[in-house]
Amino acid sequence: MKWENLGHRDHESRTNVRNISDDELVCRCNNITAGEVRKKIREGAVTLEQLQEKTGAGTGCGLCVKTLQRILDYSQLREPGPGDIEFIEKRPHDLSEEDRTVDEKCADLPVLETQITEWIELRSIMKKTVTRGFPDYSQEVNEWIKLFLRWDLGDPEYAEHYEKVKGRSPDALSRDEILTILTWYIKEERKNAGLIAQALEDGTLHALTQRLHDITV
């Protein structure tokens, strides 16, 4: 099997992760395939640290760590199944998502509280180092991100629009401007792990989500 450096692949898109076949090597150091990673996710691994512990992937050179995170993230955006009771309960209306307005979705998006995020340590056996790798977001935050993406609230042109609204007080922002900023945090988190953690800690996300709720109820 030919190995590809997946540690430098698909960093910008979760949807591309689905194109990695089960028999494709994700971790060259420990000979771990994407299928083995997905199997552990189905068996209950819900964090990067748990995946590393259960598979050994990402504990060598570390090049595959971002791909592991992408596979995990994509798995968490699946359609809700019978066991996803809490996630389903957070969809408060009987209307289909297509029939609900943007204002209705924004009003039902939970307000994020100010909080401190723990970080997952990454251990490299080969380099014998320990580094602070990825933020371990709470279930509340992960569910909020799922809802935001599932309800298609993102701004597809967020990069351009963000430059016009960054730095402004949440109280001066419109609904669409807030959605632009929230999209920026979610999308840019993939490139710069910890952006959301900082915004949670300094109260920025609380202010934005509270403002969004207040102007759409």
Side-chain angles (χ1 to χ4, degrees):
M1 183 188 307
K2 182 179 179 181
W3 176 72
E4 294 183 19
N5 188 355
L6 297 179
H8 293 292
R9 174 176 151 178
D10 292 333
H11 285 187
E12 305 304 321
S13 172
R14 294 183 182 191
T15 57
N16 286 343
V17 174
R18 65 186 175 190
N19 296 326
I20 301 176
S21 63
D22 281 345
D23 64 351
E24 192 168 351
L25 279 177
V26 172
C27 178
R28 185 185 187 187
C29 297
N30 294 302
N31 200 37
I32 306 299
T33 66
E36 293 174 280
V37 172
R38 290 177 178 129
K39 181 175 183 292
K40 294 303 180 183
I41 292 174
R42 290 193 297 270
E43 292 175 353
V46 296
T47 67
L48 178 63
E49 185 176 43
Q50 289 173 350
L51 274 183
Q52 289 180 296
E53 290 177 352
K54 291 178 181 295
T55 65
T59 58
C61 69
L63 285 177
C64 65
V65 166
K66 287 189 176 181
T67 299
L68 290 174
Q69 186 67 52
R70 300 293 177 254
I71 294 174
L72 182 61
D73 289 346
Y74 182 76
S75 75
Q76 294 173 341
L77 297 179
R78 69 196 188 288
E79 290 295 315
D84 296 322
I85 296 175
E86 182 171 357
F87 178 43
I88 293 172
E89 287 178 346
K90 290 191 176 183
R91 299 167 59 187
H93 295 297
D94 293 331
L95 291 174
S96 68
E97 292 172 10
E98 292 77 12
D99 292 335
R100 297 178 61 205
T101 67
V102 174
D103 275 350
E104 287 173 331
K105 293 177 181 179
C106 289
D108 291 326
L109 196 67
V111 175
L112 288 174
E113 298 301 328
T114 300
Q115 57 192 270
I116 303 297
T117 302
E118 299 294 331
W119 283 69
I120 296 173
E121 291 183 343
L122 297 180
R123 300 176 181 273
S124 172
I125 297 174
M126 294 177 62
K127 296 181 180 181
K128 298 182 180 179
T129 59
V130 177
T131 59
R132 191 174 76 158
F134 288 91
D136 186 15
Y137 291 117
S138 67
Q139 184 176 2
E140 173 199 5
V141 175
N142 286 326
E143 293 292 343
W144 180 89
I145 293 173
K146 289 180 189 178
L147 287 177
F148 188 92
L149 296 172
R150 182 180 179 84
W151 288 348
D152 197 24
L153 294 174
D155 176 4
E157 299 180 10
Y158 76 92
E160 177 184 351
H161 295 161
Y162 178 75
E163 291 301 315
K164 301 176 183 178
V165 298
K166 66 179 182 181
R168 290 172 55 187
S169 168
D171 291 339
L173 297 172
S174 68
R175 181 201 73 186
D176 290 346
E177 289 170 337
I178 294 173
L179 293 179
T180 291
I181 296 174
L182 295 178
T183 304
W184 183 86
Y185 275 110
I186 292 174
K187 297 291 187 179
E188 295 299 310
E189 173 79 12
R190 302 172 187 177
K191 306 174 188 177
N192 187 2
L195 279 178
I196 291 177
Q198 179 60 45
L200 286 167
E201 183 174 346
D202 64 21
T204 298
L205 282 183
H206 171 72
L208 289 170
T209 54
Q210 183 66 62
R211 167 69 174 170
L212 185 65
H213 175 80
D214 291 344
I215 63 178
T216 55
V217 291

